[in-house]
Amino acid sequence: MYLWRNRKRVDQTLINRAKGLIHEANNIVITAHKSPDGDAVGSVWGLCLYLRKLGKQAIVVLPDPAAEFLDWIPGSKETLFFNKSSEVCEKALRDADLWFALDYNTRSRTGTDMAAVLNTLEAPCVMIDHHHQPETFPTVLFSDTTMCSTAQMVYMFIEAMGDADKIDENIGACLYCGIMTDTGSFRFPSVTPKTHEIVAELIRKGVDHAQIHRNVYDTNLLDRLRLVGYALSEKLMVFETYHTAIISLTKDELSRFSYRPGDTEGLVNQALSIKGVNFAVFVREGNNEVKLSFRSQGSFDVNTFARAHFSGGGHFNAAGGMSVESIDFVLQKLQDLLPEYQEQLTYTL
Ligand code: 5GP
Ligand code: MN
């Protein structure tokens, strides 16, 4: 196993290994996690279009579709979805002589069915990811938890391959979207001078950053805006003693506003924006499970919290998890946990 961990530069030994694997491969499949976000879709398509420029046959297999506001991503209309055409996807994965795992650290993040296939693949795998505690199976593992986004890692990967000049407007748009969405539009502490150097270079290459921002953030349907309004005015609970805010939405409430994937994106950050709140949780009732999103500001580690209580994980200040209990049970469990964390949650930024 090879690691690129918490280093400013990409390890050239790893690049040479990956280069060898790409050179030998003809059928390459690129994957990302379930409920893919802007970083996942941007990274897979940025990499896929780059590999095609090298003359490789490359396709993208995702567990399920992303939100509609990512439909404009160059190439993405060709994506194969495991939840829609599992046989085609399974065959593509089994026929691959090299596969990439982008923006996830464990195969379970692709969902039970797709993970079952990934677990049995014999072809070499290159993982590029910025989440904590990656699995050790990949043939080449690029793991750096200090990186703001996988898309930035993909840019640095292509750059270290000596191919920065192959990044064109389309590849650039994919990577710009990944960096923009995973950094809350360049505002999180994980953003570095290198991030800005990369996006400057992408804009120089012709990427229309204003249009990408509009595509992602200014294409709301009225129902979505009303759902956000309802959640903030009716469903936001603040626990001042614990510097915590919780928003929850049931299936009924979601369907009242014709919920579509992505509609609740960013809601948890709005809860976190309340003065004095260090920890925000968004709880959404799904068909078979309850999904949780955790965000913190400062020293409260939501990755550890999500792992300990909600079979999840992620990053220090942004994590997710799930539960198969009822939404009422989950909300009670959250509130019961808060006193235990009162000391850790009490600080001023
Ligand atoms: P979000 O709240 O936006 O869905 O996810 C925030 C972060 O937590 C992302 O980096 C995502 O990869 C991670 N994450 C979300 N849900 C899960 C989960 O169920 N398990 C794990 N391990 N990580 C998750
Ligand atoms: Mn990411």
Side-chain angles (χ1 to χ4, degrees):
M1 194 205 18
Y2 294 83
L3 279 179
W4 162 32
R5 185 167 268 169
N6 302 349
R7 295 204 192 111
K8 289 278 180 294
R9 283 186 328 111
V10 187
D11 187 326
Q12 205 54 45
T13 317
L14 293 198
I15 288 295
N16 292 339
R17 291 269 307 186
K19 211 180 245 181
L21 292 173
I22 292 169
H23 182 71
E24 284 162 28
N26 292 311
N27 287 317
I28 305 175
V29 177
I30 305 160
T31 65
H33 58 80
K34 205 173 160 200
S35 307
D37 56 7
D39 192 28
V41 184
S43 295
V44 290
W45 276 105
L47 181 70
C48 186
L49 298 178
Y50 161 67
L51 292 173
R52 286 180 184 177
K53 273 199 155 180
L54 297 182
K56 297 293 165 184
Q57 191 127 23
I59 58 164
V60 170
V61 172
L62 295 179
D64 55 359
E68 235 169 274
F69 63 76
L70 294 169
D71 277 356
W72 59 272
I73 295 260
S76 66
K77 291 203 168 35
E78 289 174 42
T79 308
L80 297 175
F81 299 109
F82 204 95
N83 72 334
K84 290 187 176 169
S85 39
S86 60
E87 279 172 27
V88 176
C89 290
E90 177 165 355
K91 182 165 174 4
L93 285 162
R94 296 208 184 282
D95 288 348
D97 42 23
L98 173 64
W99 64 287
F100 279 82
L102 299 192
D103 203 37
Y104 62 96
N105 51 350
T106 64
R107 287 164 287 189
S108 61
R109 292 277 292 124
T110 63
T112 319
D113 298 342
M114 184 158 150
V117 176
L118 297 182
N119 285 341
T120 59
L121 295 183
E122 280 169 14
C125 171
V126 177
M127 179 181 272
I128 304 178
D129 180 52
H130 65 141
H131 296 93
H132 287 268
Q133 287 135 303
E135 283 185 308
T136 55
F137 78 88
T139 324
V140 181
L141 173 57
F142 295 100
S143 166
D144 189 339
T145 59
T146 70
M147 286 283 153
C148 68
S149 56
T150 299
Q152 173 164 337
M153 296 178 75
V154 171
Y155 182 98
M156 290 170 72
F157 173 78
I158 298 174
E159 191 180 44
M161 290 278 289
D163 285 333
D165 60 328
K166 290 203 167 56
I167 299 178
D168 57 19
E169 201 178 312
N170 282 340
I171 297 174
C174 297
L175 300 181
Y176 187 94
C177 175
I179 298 172
M180 179 187 80
T181 52
D182 250 28
T183 57
S185 300
F186 315 104
R187 56 178 287 236
F188 295 152
S190 53
V191 171
T192 63
K194 178 71 181 171
T195 313
H196 282 281
E197 282 158 17
I198 290 171
V199 298
E201 192 51 32
L202 294 179
I203 292 170
R204 253 181 234 120
K205 284 173 184 287
V207 169
D208 188 346
H209 60 284
Q211 182 63 45
I212 292 176
H213 202 280
R214 278 197 298 275
N215 290 345
V216 172
Y217 296 111
D218 297 340
T219 50
N220 287 317
L221 295 182
L222 184 58
D223 263 337
R224 194 238 159 163
L225 228 52
R226 291 207 199 283
L227 173 65
V228 171
Y230 169 77
L232 293 177
S233 68
E234 308 293 325
K235 300 302 303 285
L236 170 64
M237 300 187 283
V238 178
F239 303 89
E240 281 176 34
T241 319
Y242 306 112
H243 304 270
T244 295
I246 301 176
I247 296 178
S248 65
L249 289 169
T250 64
K251 259 197 306 201
D252 280 354
E253 289 167 327
L254 292 163
S255 66
R256 216 187 300 160
F257 294 94
S258 319
Y259 170 79
R260 301 179 327 159
D263 279 356
T264 54
E265 193 93 34
L267 208 45
V268 66
N269 296 94
Q270 291 196 265
L272 190 66
S273 74
I274 301 164
K275 194 172 180 184
V277 166
N278 294 330
F279 179 37
V281 188
F282 171 60
V283 185
R284 179 174 63 80
E285 186 179 30
N287 286 330
N288 308 305
E289 57 176 30
V290 173
K291 267 299 289 178
L292 296 102
S293 283
F294 304 102
R295 297 289 186 276
S296 67
Q297 310 212 55
S299 60
F300 185 63
D301 176 4
V302 291
N303 172 42
T304 303
F305 184 88
R307 275 172 195 279
H309 306 293
F310 294 98
S311 324
H315 312 279
F316 193 91
N317 290 128
M322 54 82 67
S323 169
V324 290
E325 305 285 355
S326 72
I327 186 162
D328 289 338
F329 180 93
V330 168
L331 287 169
Q332 193 56 53
K333 176 172 167 178
L334 273 169
Q335 290 169 59
D336 290 346
L337 281 166
L338 293 180
E340 204 181 302
Y341 289 92
Q342 183 171 4
E343 216 171 297
Q344 287 185 48
L345 287 166
T346 306
Y347 52 87
T348 315
L349 283 167

